[in-house]
Amino acid sequence: MSKIKACLFDLDGVIVDTAVYHYRAWKRLANELGFDFTEEENEKLKGVSRVKSLELILSWAGLEKTQEEQAELATRKNNWYVEMITQMTPDEILPGVREFMEEARAAGLKTALGSASKNSGLILERTGLAALFDAVVDGNSVTASKPDPEVFLRGAEALAVAPYECVVFEDAVAGVQAGKAAGMKVVGIGTEEVLHEADLVVKGLSHLRVEQLFDL
Ligand code: B16
Ligand code: MG
């Protein structure tokens, strides 16, 4: 008998591709401030909190801002981002996600979201996925950013299961590290080259069957 009892899903890059909206909004902010950043630099923002993302972007441009200015810039970016995600539809759910979650729930597994985003509620509502989650832990309820395990430990707690009974699904290196630091199994969504610390790597949830979780 397998010990796996729950699935903890990251949001951006696993359930939906909101990275493209984050990128557009951060780029618009950078351009308004008179600079730009590369797509390669943008990769470093994945899975990282809003405040930390802004700090990184400003450091790439060599800009220093006061706390008040930083708060205003983060709000400006978030307003553009929220404008975009408000237009999201269920068509933007990544391939195989709904089917995998339904299969997991039918197999008796519990499900939770473990995301750094403070906008996860709106995204789950717009995509119609909210009802498939037994618990949501996101940037509104955690203080430490991935690779700290807090978000996933809180997810296990909310589902009343032990960490070793959970599988984390993550697309970011920091997220894979957070899952491992929590003492959980981790399925990386992406490439083996980048996510080699995961227990198993697949291209997307359409390439995975729930029964494979029981062999991890
Ligand atoms: P927000 P995840 C993360 O989502 C994104 O990957 C990251 O780019 C973003 O800065 C972070 O959420 C915070 O998002 O500004 O909406 O609070 O991958 O942890 O689901
Ligand atoms: Mg992610």
Side-chain angles (χ1 to χ4, degrees):
M1 258 297 271
S2 168
K3 57 188 186 305
I4 297 303
K5 289 187 180 164
C7 297
L8 308 182
F9 298 90
D10 173 51
L11 180 63
D12 175 26
V14 173
I15 303 282
V16 285
D17 184 15
T18 35
V20 54
Y21 301 127
H22 281 296
Y23 181 52
R24 277 188 218 155
W26 283 127
K27 196 172 165 65
R28 183 170 170 185
L29 184 75
N31 292 168
E32 281 198 0
L33 294 173
F35 67 94
D36 208 350
F37 59 91
T38 63
E39 288 211 27
E40 203 185 352
E41 284 171 324
N42 184 60
E43 284 300 306
K44 302 198 174 96
L45 305 179
K46 290 188 178 173
V48 173
S49 74
R50 194 183 313 164
V51 171
K52 186 74 192 154
S53 298
L54 178 65
E55 281 172 15
L56 281 171
I57 291 168
L58 292 174
S59 76
W60 296 332
L63 283 183
E64 286 197 14
K65 298 282 176 189
T66 64
Q67 286 300 315
E68 289 85 58
E69 286 168 334
Q70 288 192 29
E72 188 276 321
L73 293 172
T75 302
R76 213 193 296 174
K77 179 266 174 182
N78 191 55
N79 289 342
W80 293 323
Y81 177 69
V82 169
E83 238 171 65
M84 288 186 273
I85 60 172
T86 303
Q87 310 298 319
M88 285 180 86
T89 68
D91 288 349
E92 290 181 64
I93 300 170
L94 288 171
V97 169
R98 177 176 277 282
E99 295 76 4
F100 185 88
M101 290 194 70
E102 283 169 353
E103 197 189 328
R105 292 171 67 87
L109 300 178
K110 291 182 180 173
T111 54
L113 189 79
S115 166
S117 177
K118 294 188 174 184
N119 294 301
S120 73
L122 177 58
I123 295 166
L124 294 185
E125 183 207 309
R126 295 299 309 162
T127 52
L129 286 173
L132 290 179
F133 289 93
D134 297 307
V136 171
V137 181
D138 67 11
N140 296 301
S141 46
V142 296
T143 47
S145 275
K146 300 167 188 176
D148 189 286
E150 185 187 5
V151 66
F152 295 129
L153 291 173
R154 294 283 302 278
E157 220 174 273
L159 296 176
V161 295
Y164 70 87
E165 295 170 322
C166 297
V167 183
V168 165
F169 299 85
E170 256 292 349
D171 70 309
V173 174
V176 170
Q177 291 168 342
K180 292 313 295 176
M184 300 174 178
K185 295 291 182 192
V186 179
V187 173
I189 307 292
T191 64
E192 174 70 37
E193 194 189 350
V194 179
L195 304 175
H196 52 86
E197 290 167 76
D199 297 286
L200 172 71
V201 179
V202 292
K203 276 190 268 176
L205 285 174
S206 58
H207 296 263
L208 187 71
R209 297 303 310 269
V210 169
E211 62 212 39
Q212 286 175 264
L213 304 181
F214 302 122
D215 297 327
L216 287 174

